[in-house]
Amino acid sequence: MDLSNLPGLGPKRLEKLNKSGLSTIADLLYNIPRTYLDQTKVSKIADLHDGDRAVVIGIITRAGIVKGRMSRFMAVLTDGSAEISLLFFRGTRFIANRVKPGTRWLVSGTVGSYRGLQLVHPDMQPFDEGEAFNGQILPVYPISEVCREAKMEQRFFRNLYKTIFNFPGLTLPNACPRELTDYLHFAPVMDNLRTLHMPKDFDSIYKAKRELKILELLPFCLRMVKRRENQKIRGHERQIDLGNVMAAKARLPFQLTAGQDAALNTIIDGLNGKKQFHALLQGDVGCGKTVVAMLAIMAVCGAGEQCALMVPTDILARQHFKSLKPFFDAAGIRVHLLVGATPAAEKKVILGELQMGLCNVVIGTHALFSKDVFFAKLGLVIIDEQHRFGVSQREALLAKGDYPDMLVMSATPIPRSLAMTLYGDLKVISIKEKPAGRKPIKTRLVNTAKRESMKQFICKEAAGGNLCYWIASRVNADGSDSTDESNARSVDDIVNEMRAFIAAFGHTDVSIAKLKVAGVHGQMDDTQRDEIIKQFAAGEIQILVATTVIEVGVNVPAANLMVIDQPDRFGLAQLHQLRGRVGRGNQEAWCFLMTPEGEAAETSMERLSQFAATEDGFEIAELDLKTRGAGNLEGNEQSGAWVFRWFDWIHDQELISQTLERAEHILKDGSAFNETAKEKIQTWYNEKPSANEDGVH
């Protein structure tokens, strides 16, 4: 059904809804209330106490913006029995334009006490003179600015939903089949949506939300359980060459940590098994995952099979090839590098050796799953920084073997609740220790007022031989890559700023005058970017200004300083990845967070202080989950990965294992559904869109 068929929606309102992302009836139905106003009881202000959850109706007697260190909007509401203050620290100008003396409001919130009773950021609904109090539970919707400008407020949406649910023949595309909701003893999806938009009591709201959350998780869990079952009937036995592994361990210039040893033993056991082995090896930055992967490759190659190690960037592929080749050469294992820039003649030789089985290991990028790449006997696929690859890319590489084993690696530690869900078809192996000799990275918050002192410190350190990263959140000075109008400094800005600073101070200090600054970002040509990073690693460039393009795959042991501009614009997990670019040698390393001023500083300081206090990636992942949600754990807000509409990773974790159990029962209980129902259910869970697997599975 088209939105234009709904009465009361003219072209202007339709345009506002479209701009708000509400283009279809389904969009509107899924736009569930963010909270509810319990109007079953209105309190008198005189009866309120600190900590009460209250609903009051009254008239604004005074209102205005209060200037100070942090501007705020303050209003006074009275209902005739007493007065209460209303405070807003965000959106003050918008609130000031709406909340005027003499206007009547229904206000809901938790009562606080500071120089009298107050409500901070309460829910406020206009309540016209003479409007009857009906004692209902009212839905409160998220409303965009464009809708507010068109006076499409809460009352408009409540009336709109009444119209929608009275519309004959209302249907919902891609809804869970009725046969499955009946099997689960759930209400039909449409009935649950009706409950949320037109609630009668809070028990039914809770039940409807819970069922919708489970149905949102269920397609993902059904696919996962199906993959897990398929792995049990695939795979083959092989004769692992443990001698090869032991000899390679003896040639290492260091001893494996206990965590590396335990991870390697788990992987070897899996590779020895009869079933297809799929595992996730996760660990903190610098914990030594690559060495474990190399030893696993040794084991499989010793059994006469081939291995492919796929990484997201050319520079990381070249680094792995350079560091691992001496160990493979010593073991008599032939290894090649295959990237997009590999010359045609060299590529032809590599492809021929892979197809004939003359090459044991290939390290490369996306070039590995090209159609012209064939393997004689691909036994193990290893994917490093796996979140950079999508489902189809991973499957394309796996398809080049006869159900090969797979090890995916991630340097972004994942909380257990996420790992259970996102990698339920993988065995999760974690390494928590760091190699011996690594010194802690000291992280400090620096107010932006000390920027000049920071530049002077960095230049003196760089002149003394220390290399420095300076991280920016934007690429271009004109802001063309940015979706907001903030004053975030770009790579261009900071490069010019540092060069001007060096030119100014170079007159008095010759060593500073010789410093070179360059910038890199994701919009550059790969060859140009790699060349600049290579010069930085060689010490020819001393200060490298970069976006998060250096987050993975850049290993410069001589770089021991990092400044992150406006760290509040990054997730904690991403900050942790960036910080991991320094301290990769045995020297003391520092990471400085250049914190903003004003309101942004107030809201981000606690989060950044928690980050500065720990180097434990698993702890940081938990903090990031709580503060930013699972959608940003990888620090990639554009990916949409791990984002659910209703499921809450913090408060709904107990639903994860429950939904996995339900999925197992559904797939095993063959007698519960006839063939038509089975086909409908399978179509639903295979075709239902799910951002949660993009780049993960």
Side-chain angles (χ1 to χ4, degrees), residues 3 6 9 13 16-18 20-24 27-29 31-33 125 138-165 196-198:
L3 284 184
L6 292 175
L9 282 184
R13 283 182 164 174
K16 301 297 183 185
L17 288 173
N18 287 334
S20 302
L22 303 172
S23 306
T24 65
D27 291 336
L28 280 170
L29 290 174
N31 180 46
I32 66 172
Q125 308 303 321
L138 289 183
V140 178
Y141 293 96
I143 297 179
S144 68
E145 192 64 34
V146 291
C147 284
R148 290 195 188 280
E149 289 171 359
K151 302 197 183 309
M152 297 159 67
E153 301 265 4
Q154 297 295 338
R155 189 176 302 175
F156 164 81
F157 279 96
R158 289 171 193 146
N159 291 332
L160 180 62
Y161 284 108
K162 288 177 184 176
T163 302
I164 290 173
F165 283 107
L196 295 180
H197 290 292
M198 303 172 69

Side-chain angles (χ1 to χ4, degrees), residues 176-189:
C176 180
R178 184 65 177 265
E179 293 88 344
L180 186 50
T181 54
D182 286 347
Y183 173 81
L184 295 168
H185 304 294
F186 285 2
V189 173

Side-chain angles (χ1 to χ4, degrees), residues 415 417-418 572 607 610 618-631 633 648-651 653:
S417 60
L418 286 178
L572 298 186
R607 189 173 68 94
Q610 289 174 325
F618 290 88
E619 184 180 339
I620 288 168
E622 290 282 2
L623 287 171
D624 214 21
L625 181 62
K626 291 175 182 175
T627 55
R628 286 169 62 97
L633 278 177
D648 187 308
W649 289 104
I650 302 300
H651 301 104
Q653 291 188 27

